Amino acid sequence: MAKSIVIALGGGGVRGIAHLGAVQCLLDNEYEINGIAGTSAGGMFGAPLAAQVPSREILAAVIHFFKSPDFRRASTDSASLVGTTGIEHVLAKFIEGKTFKDLPISFSVTAVSLKTGEEVVINEGDVMKAVLATIAIPGVFPTMGEDVLVDGGVLDPIPVEPARALNPSLPVVAVVLHTKPADFSPLQSSAVVIDQIPEAIVDRLTRTRLGESLRNMNVGVELGSDRLTELNLEISKPDVIVRPIVGHYGTLQKVDPTKLFDEGYRAMEEQLPALADALSFVKRIRRISKYTTAKTE
């Protein structure tokens, strides 16, 4: 029997590079990815993966981007701290002009409407527009469309249910990006780091009361997001949870992409026995009974 799975890729900014390593590990071990659901960074990296672009090719594009990160705003952007011009340029090579129907692997992303306060699952239409909606960190990146769509991680940091909806009979592998080193203090967390802001200004800001308050606000938001992630995992119960140790990286921090890729690979490799167990006949029957039946009712 084919080793088919669906994957749920969580949010986390640059930490999402670890998704590439996790997927590469799955492919190296002859798993067939039947569907991908992504939130925020998970949607951004999930889109080219759903287009069956090799993960190492995506990694090479990320490495090139980090040589000269580009977060310029376009004149048509809504109010935001920075823009997505550079990100769009990188993604265009892989998904420009594609619709969800064009993707070889079933794919969906989540966003949140600031107009309604509800989660929106996007699985049709233009893939690039959907990605820009799911990565729209409120206040940092531009919102999208008339529904004022922002980052799906606001309500659902790890899209287990959207992944399961792609094929309820298959095990869901959830890749979670907030796990930090054991000796890491929340106060060591990096705020949103953007290289276009001169280092001298950033350094001066961090030494002020305003800088300290912004750091504390960031830590509080991060702690809340981490707890929301764990609560959602308890409710949605993915079959396998993969936890790369990348939570200590800042959302837009300039990083060594290869390190995150390798950590994603290591974390997935660690969970291969659990994934093999999730594919057992008994657990497959349980999934079909529980989720397929619920979907048809």
Side-chain angles (χ1 to χ4, degrees), residues 234-293:
E234 286 183 23
I235 294 169
S236 58
K237 293 181 170 53
D239 297 83
V240 176
I241 302 176
V242 182
R243 298 180 182 274
I245 303 173
V246 295
H248 51 300
Y249 291 100
T251 305
L252 299 179
Q253 183 177 347
K254 192 172 183 179
V255 298
D256 178 352
T258 304
K259 286 185 178 180
L260 279 79
F261 181 96
D262 291 345
E263 175 55 21
Y265 195 107
R266 181 208 64 78
M268 185 67 251
E269 196 168 41
E270 189 177 75
Q271 293 302 315
L272 289 178
L275 181 52
D277 180 63
L279 283 163
S280 69
F281 177 76
V282 171
K283 292 195 173 180
R284 181 170 181 270
I285 294 301
R286 287 177 182 171
R287 273 193 304 274
I288 292 173
S289 174
K290 183 175 181 179
Y291 299 117
T292 305
T293 303

Side-chain angles (χ1 to χ4, degrees), residues 13 39 48 60 62 82 88 91 139 151 178 190 206 210 228 236 251 267:
T39 291
V62 174
V82 292
E88 291 177 60
L91 288 173
D151 192 317
H178 71 260
S190 299
T206 56
L210 175 60
L228 177 62
S236 58
T251 305

